[in-house]
Amino acid sequence: MAHFRTTKAAVKIHALLDLRGNIPSFIHISDGKLHDVHALDMILPEAGAIYVMDRGYVDFARLYGLHQAGAFFVIRAKSNLNAHRVYSTATDRTTGVIADQRIALDGHYTSQDYPIHIRRVRFRDLENDRTLVFLTNQTTLPALTICNLYKNRWQVELFFKWIKQHLRIKTFFGTSENAVKTQIWIAVSVYVLVAIIRKRLKLDVSLYTLMQVFSVTVFEKASIESLILQTVDSSGPVMDYNQLNLFSY
């Protein structure tokens, strides 16, 4: 899908994951040249929603657009952020939160793009020995909640990892734009259907287990619950196909 090369190609999936069910609510497939931040232009902001993003989406004009739409954001700050502290709120450092501040942007363009105060939260991650800085327009939630919201962004990485590992998205059967997009959409659709089934039936099994069950019982006339129960209760295969045991004594 990269038009400037004939031997190699790059493809990007820009995804918005609804953490209430780990189901993507927006996906855009582009070539490798499209910068991540442009995906924000394709999303219709939902008032009251909290959008959690990594540093690749730092664009203060677009973030201010989310704010004006009544939506909230939590995003990692870049190290070269040009801003000054307006005032600070007391924090409990035993939680890892070392600063909860209101700041004003000082950059010539950024101060115009985001003309109001923004909240900055510093968190000390002792487990990985690093300090994380978050920016948000959400001013009512506790600082530790803001940090935990960003921690949940890892679900996006797990979503992509799961698709690559279990839906064979590493190898493409075709190289045209239509073939690549079709295969990606099929993989995402399978993921969404399995995730919806798991959520609606309140199944206490992993998506991987569900995929394994479906792969060998797709033509079986039995309820999903009974197949899952059989899988949990049995230490052997999901179904008994009366295969000969080559290693019986």
Side-chain angles (χ1 to χ4, degrees):
M1 295 177 63
H3 304 292
F4 54 91
R5 292 186 181 180
T6 58
T7 57
K8 293 183 179 180
V11 60
K12 276 187 177 182
I13 303 179
H14 309 267
L16 176 64
L17 204 65
D18 189 336
L19 292 178
R20 290 172 294 185
N22 284 346
I23 295 178
S25 57
F26 167 84
I27 283 182
H28 176 72
I29 303 172
S30 71
D31 60 37
K33 295 184 294 182
L34 183 68
H35 194 279
D36 292 343
V37 74
H38 293 291
L40 291 179
D41 300 331
M42 307 173 196
I43 297 175
L44 183 62
E46 180 181 346
I50 302 177
Y51 295 88
V52 184
M53 300 165 282
D54 64 17
R55 285 179 291 191
Y57 292 89
V58 173
D59 182 286
F60 288 105
R62 290 179 170 91
L63 293 178
Y64 191 58
L66 289 176
H67 177 78
Q68 290 181 307
F72 302 103
F73 60 83
V74 176
I75 193 168
R76 282 273 307 274
K78 292 185 176 180
S79 58
N80 60 348
L81 178 66
N82 186 8
H84 69 273
R85 179 180 61 86
V86 178
Y87 65 91
S88 299
T89 303
T91 63
D92 180 2
R93 293 197 166 215
T94 61
T95 64
V97 178
I98 57 179
D100 185 4
Q101 307 167 330
R102 300 297 186 275
I103 64 172
L105 300 177
D106 292 333
H108 175 72
Y109 294 107
T110 57
S111 60
Q112 298 178 43
D113 292 338
Y114 205 101
I116 62 176
H117 294 167
I118 191 170
R119 186 181 185 184
R120 179 172 64 186
V121 177
R122 295 183 184 273
F123 178 78
R124 183 60 183 170
D125 182 3
L126 296 177
E127 182 178 349
N128 297 299
D129 191 26
R130 60 177 180 169
T131 299
L132 305 175
V133 181
F134 305 113
L135 301 177
T136 182
N137 64 332
Q138 168 55 254
T139 58
T140 59
L141 292 176
L144 186 59
T145 301
I146 298 298
C147 301
N148 288 332
L149 280 171
Y150 187 84
K151 185 178 181 180
N152 281 318
R153 197 197 68 83
W154 184 247
Q155 296 299 323
V156 177
E157 307 298 336
L158 296 179
F159 163 72
F160 285 119
K161 182 179 180 180
W162 192 91
I163 285 183
K164 290 178 181 178
Q165 288 182 341
H166 304 307
L167 296 181
R168 310 188 192 288
I169 204 68
K170 292 182 178 180
T171 303
F172 290 98
F173 298 107
T175 56
S176 67
E177 180 176 350
N178 181 66
V180 171
K181 284 187 175 181
T182 298
Q183 187 173 343
I184 292 175
W185 274 113
I186 290 174
V188 172
S189 298
V190 170
Y191 173 91
V192 170
L193 288 173
V194 174
I196 290 175
I197 290 173
R198 179 175 180 265
K199 182 176 178 63
R200 287 190 176 179
L201 297 182
K202 299 179 180 179
L203 300 174
D204 189 22
V205 293
S206 67
L207 292 178
Y208 173 75
T209 299
L210 277 178
M211 286 295 297
Q212 292 296 100
V213 172
F214 293 154
S215 66
V216 297
T217 61
V218 64
F219 296 112
E220 295 292 329
K221 293 183 178 180
S223 66
I224 295 176
E225 292 92 337
S226 65
L227 295 173
I228 296 300
L229 183 61
Q230 184 175 348
T231 303
V232 174
D233 292 343
S234 174
S235 58
V238 175
M239 299 295 288
D240 182 9
Y241 292 99
N242 296 321
Q243 293 181 347
L244 296 178
N245 188 349
L246 298 179
F247 302 98
S248 60
Y249 296 96

